[in-house]
């Protein structure tokens, strides 16, 4: 391949660069770039790697706090959990590739995020994933669900990390742009955390892991453009995952990290060798020289251009202490992984790429990152939701229990067991809560501490009102952590939106960030890592705005963890935080009235904090036997889920004149708890003291859910309905629902 | 009880197993590397733990069964040393010829992680003495290839010699295994393989605790 072709406007466009961006390159280097250089710029300056549309707004998010050891900017965020230990976590999207090739797209999404976590020295102890698919009746949905779920499991199960939580949702706005957001959580000692910043001149740069192939070339550029009718032709840009290589890479890296040999380490993720090498050099104020003939390649005849842009998986780049090469080599050979010294750090601040001695690229390293375009994209006001009808025509001829059953069998509220039973959620032997509760929980090995984790967002809320929707995503994650008895520590965000060049999409992005920022600030729940995925759009139609929040909390004593399941019959059921009243954008309206209308419920963050504090105090005082937050579907759905988790029924009484609002309203900052009769007075006293509304709405017992004495459904029937959605979807029997 | 856990590349439940062995015996097991040419000590128990040795590429357990150390494990088994293979370990035991039969892909072709009921079919072994005959208890499975298959002759032999140790009970066979077989022994009774994970059912945190009795049985026999 000629490294100096004529740089035509077609070639520039093929590299995803705009004319003004190319002009910026010419100004920066004062000459026409080589082909390799053009490739490097396209890799560094695409949306996925440069955050050029989002950076301005991301800077406004709160990222610090006494617990934060490392905020955004490294491979993952680092938060103190006491006793010299830290939790390291991040969430990242693999949306575009997963639509094109669901199994491999999902596996490499999981692999990428696991690598981000162990690059920093942490052993991954849990994984979560937030998946969004199109309408269940869309012809591609079934195939995408089965491929993505198998891919998520295929990677995590083999790698040996328990998948303990996540979300799966359906909406027609994801028909041609699904979302696969994967989160990984690891634990490290605070004195053994590794960063990307290189130091020292003349130190060896070492390539580790799998060989470089032609897969994934321009993957990051693909993820920075919207889809059209020919998107499936992009299959060759999807990488292929090898969890066995990743598992060995993990063990080899952690073994080497014990030996005080590593100065800097960076995984090769998006834009592979280019991005990792530039980052290590630029962060350390150093130049980098790479001799590409030394890069282990899977195929013969790979060009420097291909090597610099390959996104082959399971690869790492390290700067080693001089003289430690043999120690590192021995460890990597033990694990049958490639090890090669491919270059060294220099003092000239240049990114110097050579191939058999010939210079293929010579670019100023700091500017590659720092001078990336940054846009203040114009935004208007986000689109307004349909107005809520003045009178909702409730179907009063159908019993409330029958409505509950229909809702519990729907795509929105049905059991996700079919999904999470394909994930090993037990490996490592520390799992305390498997999927199905409010948060996944794992014990911190050899301690009594527990880590709680959740991912949350309600995209319909974000579409109706991006500011409140952004707040709500944070508040719900926070609430889910509280519900298992955890003190929320910090969160990671995965911001999935449409094309930011459209001002109404940019407006959604800007407002969601405002809401997220406000909630994180008030709840002292900073963002420590994250990822932005834009251009989730096909032929000009974007996804619902989906800023997914991954929250992590700490349980001091795992024996005091709470769960959603009812524990005993004859216990009191309390609704905490006020009665339901708000039906705008509710699941009830969506499912029973085919209506997505009205404003979403408002989140009052001070009230949120107060109610959360009440729950934690009540748990600490042993007043509560079960907790569940009230979210999608409202009070009755929360109670039904608690009953199904335990096989203990409930008798519930609700105001007849506001039945649907009370049953299915999605007002925020609310929980359902159970409490033994003997503790009820203490609970009410605590509620008065902490100014939190509590109201008894029923008692546990029996094998039915009975509402207002006259509407009854057996748990057996409800369970049958709740469990069948996914098998019906897979067996083409959805119409029977 | 001096025990060792063999580590293959891709093994991922060695720490779960070590925790269970330590809890039952009070002694940390040795973790030994599959490329070792010999066993450094006289072990009372050698465990092949769960995971995806060699990525489950080729065929589950097939590559691991040819690791250098496996020759020593087979020799030790033939001398009467107790060998326990769990999940991928069970697959390696069938591939190495220490146990009859094979583990095929689950009947619905998906990985399955869930708690199932197991019954004790033979409590007269070093692995099950702390159970009652016919005991039924809950234990998790987590596998893609746990569908036990053997020829009718082999099944007849297994039955005749009381080599079927664990069965899936209460119609909870998760993978299509023939005769609901979850775990078997060799003829001498010193080698046992099973698909479920008793090491993930040993303490209240796990939800189920009766897997512990397998390790207690081994300690009762082996000290």
């Amino acid at each position: 391949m000629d490294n100096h072709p004529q740089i035509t406007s077609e070639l520039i466009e093929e590299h995803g660069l705009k004319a003004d961006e190319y002009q910026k390159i010419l100004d920066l280097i004062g000459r026409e770039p080589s082909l390799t250089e053009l490739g490097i710029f396209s890799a560094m300056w695409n949306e996925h790697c440069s955050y050029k549309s989002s950076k301005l707004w991301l800077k406004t998010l709160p990222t610090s706090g006494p617990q934060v050891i490392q905020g955004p900017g490294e491979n993952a965020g680092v938060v103190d959990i006491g006793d010299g230990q830290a939790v390291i976590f991040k969430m990242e999207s693999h949306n575009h590739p997963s639509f094109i090739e669901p199994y491999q797209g999902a596996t490499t999404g999981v692999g990428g995020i696991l690598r981000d976590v162990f690059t920093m020295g942490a052993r991954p102890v849990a994984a979560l994933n937030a998946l969004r698919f199109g309408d269940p009746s869309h012809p591609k949905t079934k195939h995408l669900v089965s491929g993505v779920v198998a891919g998520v499991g295929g990677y995590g199960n083999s790698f040996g990390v328990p998948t303990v939580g996540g979300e799966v949702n359906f909406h027609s706005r994801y028909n041609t742009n699904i979302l696969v957001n994967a989160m990984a959580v690891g634990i490290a000692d605070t004195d053994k955390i590794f960063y990307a910043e290189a130091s020292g001149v003349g130190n060896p740069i070492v390539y580790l892991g799998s060989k470089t192939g032609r897969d994934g070339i321009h993957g990051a550029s693909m993820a920075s453009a919207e889809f059209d009718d020919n998107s499936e032709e992009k299959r060759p840009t999807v990488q292929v995952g090898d969890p066995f290589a990743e598992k060995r890479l993990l063990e080899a890296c952690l073994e080497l990290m014990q030996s005080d040999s590593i100065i800097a380490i960076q995984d090769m993720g998006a834009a592979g060798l280019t991005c990792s090498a530039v980052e290590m050099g630029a962060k350390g104020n150093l130049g980098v020289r790479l001799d590409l003939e030394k890069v282990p390649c899977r195929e013969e005849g790979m060009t420097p251009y291909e090597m610099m842009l390959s996104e082959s998986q399971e690869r790492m780049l390290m700067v080693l202490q001089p003289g430690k090469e043999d120690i590192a080599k021995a460890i990597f050979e033990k694990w049958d992984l490639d090890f090669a010294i491919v270059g060294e750090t220099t003092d000239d601040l240049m990114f110097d790429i050579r191939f058999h001695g010939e210079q293929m690229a010579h670019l100023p390293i700091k500017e590659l990152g720092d001078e990336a375009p940054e846009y203040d994209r114009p935004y208007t006001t986000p689109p307004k939701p349909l107005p809520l009808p003045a009178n909702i025509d409730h179907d009063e001829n159908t019993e409330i229990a029958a409505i509950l059953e229909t809702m519990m069998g729907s795509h929105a509220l049905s059991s996700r067991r079919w999904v999470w039973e394909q994930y090993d959620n037990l490996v490592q032997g520390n799992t305390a809560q498997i999927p199905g509760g409010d948060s996944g929980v794992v014990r911190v090995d050899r301690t009594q501490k527990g880590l709680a984790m959740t991912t949350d967002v309600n995209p319909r809320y974000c579409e109706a009102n991006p500011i409140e929707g952004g707040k709500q995503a944070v508040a719900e994650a926070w609430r889910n952590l509280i519900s298992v008895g955890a003190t929320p520590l910090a969160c990671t965000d995965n911001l999935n939106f449409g094309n930011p060049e459209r001002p109404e999409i940019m407006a959604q992005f800007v407002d969601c960030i405002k809401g997220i920022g406000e909630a994180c600030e008030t709840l002292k729940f900073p963002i420590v890592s994250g990822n932005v995925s834009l251009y989730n759009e096909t032929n000009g139609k974007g996804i619902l705005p989906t800023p997914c929040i991954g929250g992590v909390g700490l349980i001091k004593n795992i024996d005091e963890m709470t769960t959603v399941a009812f524990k005993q019959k004859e216990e009191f059921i309390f609704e905490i935080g006020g009665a339901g009243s708000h039906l705008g954008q509710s699941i009830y309206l969506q499912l029973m009235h085919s209506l997505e209308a009205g404003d979403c419920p408002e989140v009052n963050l001070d009230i949120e904090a107060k109610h959360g504090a009440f729950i934690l105090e009540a748990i600490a005082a042993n007043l509560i036997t079960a907790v569940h937050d009230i979210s999608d579907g409202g009070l009755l759905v929360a109670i039904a889920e608690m009953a199904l988790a335990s096989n203990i029924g409930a008798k519930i009484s609700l105001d007849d004149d506001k039945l649907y609002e009370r049953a299915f309203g999605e007002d925020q900052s609310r929980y359902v708890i159970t409490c033994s009769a003997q503790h009820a007075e203490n609970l009410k006293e605590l509620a008065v003291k902490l100014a939190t509304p509590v109201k008894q709405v029923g008692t546990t017992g029996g094998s039915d859910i009975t509402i207002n004495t006259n509407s009854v459904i057996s748990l057996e029937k409800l369970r049958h309905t709740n469990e069948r959605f996914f098998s019906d979807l897979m067996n083409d029997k959805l119409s029977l629902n | 009880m001096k025990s060792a856990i063999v580590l293959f590349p891709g093994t991922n439940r060695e720490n779960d197993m070590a925790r269970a062995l330590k809890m039952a015996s009070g002694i940390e097991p040795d973790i030994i590397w599959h490329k070792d040419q010999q066993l450094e000590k006289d072990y009372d128990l050698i465990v092949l733990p769960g995971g995806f040795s060699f990525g489950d590429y080729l065929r589950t357990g097939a590559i691991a069964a040819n690791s250098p150390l496996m020759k020593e494990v087979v020799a030790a088994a033939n001398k009467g040393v107790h060998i326990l293979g769990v999940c991928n370990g069970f697959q390696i035991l069938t591939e190495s010829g220490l146990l009859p039969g094979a583990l095929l892909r689950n009947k619905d072709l998906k990985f399955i992680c869930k708690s199932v009921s197991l019954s004790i079919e033979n409590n007269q072994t070093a692995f099950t003495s702390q159970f009652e005959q016919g005991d039924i208890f809950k234990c998790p499975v987590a596998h893609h290839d746990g569908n036990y298959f053997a020829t009718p002759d082999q099944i007849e032999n297994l039955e005749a010699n009381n080599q079927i140790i664990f069965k899936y009970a209460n119609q909870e066979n998760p993978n299509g295994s023939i005769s609901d077989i979850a775990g078997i022994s060799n003829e001498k009774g010193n080698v046992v393989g099973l698909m479920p994970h008793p090491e993930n059912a040993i303490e209240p945190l796990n939800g189920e605790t009766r897997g512990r009795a397998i390790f207690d049985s081994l300690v009762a026999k082996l000290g």
Side-chain angles (χ1 to χ4, degrees):
Chain A
M1 193 189 286
D2 179 10
N3 196 35
H4 293 282
Q6 196 189 349
I7 307 289
T8 60
S9 54
E10 290 80 38
L11 197 57
I12 293 164
E13 198 183 326
E14 267 173 40
H15 283 79
L17 292 160
K18 303 267 154 63
D20 55 331
E21 292 173 348
Y22 181 67
Q23 186 56 47
K24 204 166 173 186
I25 293 172
L26 293 179
D27 296 345
L28 192 64
I29 63 176
R31 59 179 166 81
E32 207 168 71
S34 70
L35 183 64
T36 307
E37 288 175 333
L38 190 67
I40 289 170
F41 275 109
S42 92
M44 292 300 297
W45 285 12
N46 64 53
E47 187 66 56
H48 190 80
C49 295
S50 73
Y51 295 90
K52 60 192 170 191
S53 302
S54 58
K55 213 189 287 176
L56 188 69
W57 293 99
L58 296 177
K59 287 178 193 158
T60 66
L61 290 170
T63 57
S64 59
Q67 72 277 38
V68 177
I69 295 174
Q70 174 67 52
E74 280 287 340
N75 282 301
V78 184
V79 177
D80 199 333
I81 55 168
D83 311 310
Q85 291 180 303
V87 58
I88 299 187
F89 62 96
K90 188 183 177 187
M91 182 161 32
E92 200 165 79
S93 61
H94 229 213
N95 304 336
H96 294 75
S98 299
F99 180 76
I100 294 172
E101 176 59 64
Y103 186 93
Q104 295 299 346
T107 62
T108 50
V110 174
I113 197 64
L114 287 167
R115 215 150 49 240
D116 277 336
V117 162
F118 72 77
T119 300
M120 300 199 70
R123 179 175 286 279
V125 296
L128 299 92
N129 53 84
L131 311 177
R132 291 195 158 76
F133 299 101
D135 192 292
S137 64
H138 188 272
K140 290 205 85 161
T141 298
K142 170 185 158 183
H143 152 77
L144 291 168
V145 170
S146 75
V148 167
V149 170
V152 167
Y155 207 95
N157 298 345
S158 174
F159 178 83
V161 65
T163 299
V164 298
E167 313 168 80
V168 183
N169 291 99
F170 299 88
H171 196 282
S172 58
R173 292 277 291 281
Y174 304 104
N175 277 355
T176 51
N177 289 91
I178 62 169
L179 301 184
V180 174
N181 293 178
M183 174 169 167
V185 181
I187 292 170
D189 291 339
T190 48
D191 59 356
K192 279 212 174 55
I193 293 168
F194 292 81
Y195 296 97
E197 180 184 319
S199 67
V201 173
N203 286 333
I205 295 178
V206 173
Y207 171 112
L208 307 156
S210 297
K211 294 186 199 308
T212 296
R214 290 193 167 101
D215 49 337
I217 291 175
H218 287 310
S221 310
M222 171 185 76
S224 304
E226 58 181 272
F227 280 159
D228 55 28
D229 294 332
N230 301 319
S231 294
E232 297 191 13
E233 289 171 12
K234 294 183 176 164
R235 189 165 289 129
T237 63
V238 179
Q239 315 88 316
V240 176
D242 178 359
F244 176 53
E246 179 112 324
K247 169 70 171 162
R248 288 177 290 142
L249 191 59
L250 163 77
E251 299 300 340
C253 285
L254 292 185
E255 204 172 317
L256 182 58
M257 282 165 174
Q258 298 298 319
S259 71
D260 196 25
S261 304
I262 302 170
I263 294 174
I265 173 167
Q266 178 74 28
D267 80 300
M268 293 192 226
L273 189 54
T274 295
C275 204
S276 55
V278 168
E279 208 150 307
M280 289 206 301
K283 280 195 169 142
N285 279 316
L286 292 166
V288 164
R289 199 199 70 240
L290 296 179
D291 300 311
L292 293 185
E293 69 277 7
K294 294 177 182 161
V295 170
C297 286
R298 203 187 296 151
E299 301 166 61
E300 281 181 19
M302 283 188 62
T303 65
Y305 177 89
E306 289 169 330
M307 288 183 218
M308 293 309 291
L309 295 185
S310 163
E311 290 191 5
S312 291
Q313 299 289 294
E314 294 91 23
R315 301 180 301 158
M316 287 275 185
L317 209 58
M318 284 183 191
V319 178
L320 283 183
Q321 301 275 8
K324 300 281 188 172
E325 295 91 328
D326 289 345
I327 295 175
K329 192 168 182 219
I331 291 172
F332 276 80
E333 285 180 351
K334 169 185 164 189
W335 290 98
D336 293 320
L337 290 163
D338 272 293
F339 172 97
I341 298 168
V342 296
E344 63 173 18
T345 53
T346 62
D347 62 359
D348 63 2
L349 284 172
M350 295 302 284
F351 191 43
D352 182 359
I353 304 302
R354 303 188 186 205
F355 189 51
H356 296 294
E358 187 188 342
Q359 194 166 60
M360 307 305 290
H362 194 239
L363 297 169
I365 201 163
K366 299 282 279 185
E367 286 76 357
L368 268 176
D370 295 349
E371 293 294 317
E374 192 174 324
Y375 296 120
D376 183 0
R377 301 246 188 235
Y379 54 96
T380 53
T381 49
K384 288 269 173 261
L386 290 174
L388 196 64
N391 284 305
I392 298 165
D393 189 15
H394 300 294
D395 176 9
E396 289 174 8
N397 294 323
T398 305
E399 275 190 27
I400 197 90
I403 295 175
L404 174 67
E405 185 189 358
T406 304
M407 290 171 60
M408 292 292 287
S410 70
H411 65 82
L413 298 171
S414 59
S415 163
R416 272 55 182 145
R417 183 185 306 278
W418 181 91
V419 174
W420 51 256
E421 280 187 350
Q422 295 184 56
Y423 305 150
D424 189 338
N425 40 57
L426 302 175
V427 62
Q428 300 188 13
N430 285 313
T431 302
Q433 264 195 57
I434 62 172
D438 279 336
S439 290
V441 181
V442 297
R443 174 177 60 192
V444 178
D445 199 26
R446 294 166 198 264
T447 75
Q448 273 295 102
K449 291 185 289 193
L451 286 179
M453 296 149 279
T454 179
T455 71
D456 294 285
V457 60
N458 187 325
R460 285 176 298 103
Y461 289 4
C462 293
E463 168 98 347
N465 184 335
I467 293 188
E468 288 302 321
K471 276 197 232 171
Q472 196 274 345
V474 176
E476 189 173 347
W478 194 82
R479 210 178 295 147
N480 277 326
L481 299 174
I482 300 263
S483 296
V484 298
T487 304
L489 286 176
C491 52
T492 178
D493 58 356
N494 199 152
L495 308 171
N496 309 275
F497 289 82
N499 180 350
E501 294 166 46
R502 291 204 288 131
E504 68 277 20
I505 300 289
M506 196 61 204
Q508 291 178 330
F509 182 80
V510 169
D511 279 0
C512 279
I513 293 261
K514 284 182 186 163
I516 290 168
E518 199 185 322
C520 290
E521 191 74 51
T522 308
L523 299 175
K524 299 186 175 58
F525 193 38
I527 303 269
V528 295
S529 58
N531 168 246
V532 180
S533 173
L534 302 174
Y535 299 94
N536 291 288
E537 194 158 312
T538 301
N539 292 333
K541 182 123 177 81
I543 58 163
L544 292 174
T546 312
C548 190
I549 301 294
V552 174
L554 182 66
I555 302 173
K556 283 204 187 78
N557 180 356
I558 194 94
D559 296 338
E560 289 169 11
M561 174 186 84
T562 44
T563 67
V564 300
F566 289 150
K567 301 299 180 300
Q568 298 267 359
K569 58 182 185 179
E570 309 296 323
E571 290 199 327
F572 295 175
I573 302 171
F574 286 98
E575 184 181 35
I576 309 294
S581 67
H582 188 102
L583 289 178
Q585 297 299 337
S586 64
I587 289 278
Y588 166 76
L589 275 195
Q590 187 200 24
L591 296 174
M592 305 310 295
H593 295 267
S594 303
L595 198 56
E596 292 178 27
D599 201 350
C600 69
E602 183 194 345
V603 184
N604 180 319
L605 293 163
D606 294 322
I607 287 178
E608 186 74 58
K610 204 159 45 174
H611 295 177
F614 165 77
I615 296 288
L616 285 184
E617 278 213 29
I619 292 171
N622 280 320
L623 299 175
I624 293 183
T625 50
V627 194
H628 193 4
D629 79 313
I630 300 178
S631 59
D632 288 357
L635 174 70
L636 266 196
V637 167
I639 289 172
E641 288 169 345
M642 297 171 86
L644 288 175
S646 61
N647 226 9
I648 297 172
K651 288 191 169 58
I652 306 298
S653 58
L654 297 172
D655 289 352
D656 267 327
D657 58 336
K658 286 275 182 195
L659 187 57
Y660 300 93
E661 288 82 356
R662 296 290 180 265
F664 304 120
E666 295 182 8
D667 306 62
Q668 297 294 298
S669 316
R670 299 189 304 145
Y671 303 81
V672 182
I673 62 159
T674 54
C675 171
S676 65
Q678 67 182 71
H679 286 132
E681 285 313 310
N682 291 348
L683 186 87
K684 288 180 193 163
E685 276 169 33
L686 183 65
V688 170
K689 194 177 123 200
L690 297 180
T692 299
V694 302
K695 185 185 178 206
Q696 191 184 344
V697 292
T699 50
T700 62
S703 54
D704 305 316
I705 292 179
T706 308
I707 302 142
N708 288 353
T709 70
N710 55 5
S711 185
V712 184
I713 180 161
S714 73
L715 287 184
E716 194 185 348
K717 184 156 185 268
L718 189 61
R719 186 183 308 284
H720 179 75
T721 304
N722 183 236
E723 292 284 351
R724 60 186 289 189
F725 170 78
F726 278 92
S727 63
D728 285 354
L729 172 66
M730 289 302 141
N731 297 312
D732 298 315
K733 288 184 181 162
L734 273 188
S735 54
L736 300 179
N737 271 356
Chain B
M1 181 173 76
K2 271 185 301 175
S3 59
I5 298 172
V6 183
L7 188 67
F8 300 91
T11 295
N12 64 26
R13 264 187 168 82
E14 72 277 18
N15 292 326
D16 311 41
M17 185 56 75
R19 190 184 296 118
L21 290 169
K22 169 84 191 290
M23 206 178 270
S25 69
I27 305 166
E28 287 276 358
D30 289 349
I31 307 270
I32 54 180
W33 184 235
H34 76 114
K35 280 185 192 167
D36 289 354
Q37 296 298 322
Q38 56 191 25
L39 294 164
E40 296 292 334
K41 296 182 195 166
D42 287 332
Y43 292 108
D44 302 309
L45 173 72
I46 299 170
V47 182
L48 309 182
F52 287 66
S53 60
F54 296 92
D56 274 359
Y57 300 153
L58 185 61
R59 201 169 62 233
T60 56
I63 305 177
N66 289 291
S67 273
L69 193 64
M70 279 308 294
K71 282 193 194 71
E72 298 301 306
V73 173
V74 171
N78 290 336
K79 275 190 266 173
V81 173
H82 286 78
I83 314 283
L84 173 65
V86 170
C87 196
N88 190 222
F90 186 15
Q91 294 159 345
I92 296 167
L93 288 175
T94 59
E95 284 288 343
S96 62
L98 283 173
L99 292 175
L103 282 313
L104 311 180
R105 185 131 286 200
N106 294 347
K107 68 171 188 298
D108 59 4
L109 308 178
K110 290 199 294 285
F111 187 95
I112 180 88
C113 178
K114 70 189 291 193
S115 186
V116 297
S117 295
L118 296 183
S119 63
I120 296 293
E121 299 294 309
N122 178 357
N123 75 338
Q124 303 294 308
T125 78
F127 300 80
T128 51
S129 65
Q130 303 298 302
F131 291 98
E132 301 292 325
Q133 181 73 11
D135 249 357
I136 291 183
F137 66 106
K138 284 281 201 176
C139 189
V141 296
H143 59 246
H144 209 154
D145 300 86
N147 181 356
Y148 183 74
F149 177 81
T151 63
D153 288 354
Q154 285 175 317
I155 296 289
E156 206 173 296
N157 277 338
L158 287 172
E159 279 169 353
N161 298 326
N162 292 318
Q163 285 172 248
I164 299 172
I165 313 297
F166 306 97
K167 279 192 175 185
Y168 301 110
N170 300 339
Q171 279 100 46
E172 292 176 34
N173 180 342
N175 50 34
S177 288
I178 196 162
S179 303
D180 295 327
I181 290 172
I184 58 171
S185 75
N186 63 347
E187 228 175 289
K188 272 200 291 186
N190 65 317
V191 178
V192 162
L194 73 161
M195 285 313 295
H197 288 284
E199 76 278 24
N200 285 150
I202 53 170
E203 54 177 328
L205 182 91
N206 303 142
E208 284 115 22
T209 56
R210 297 203 60 206
R212 167 81 189 258
I214 292 177
F215 305 99
D216 289 340
S217 300
L218 285 163
V219 171
K221 169 83 178 180
L222 303 172

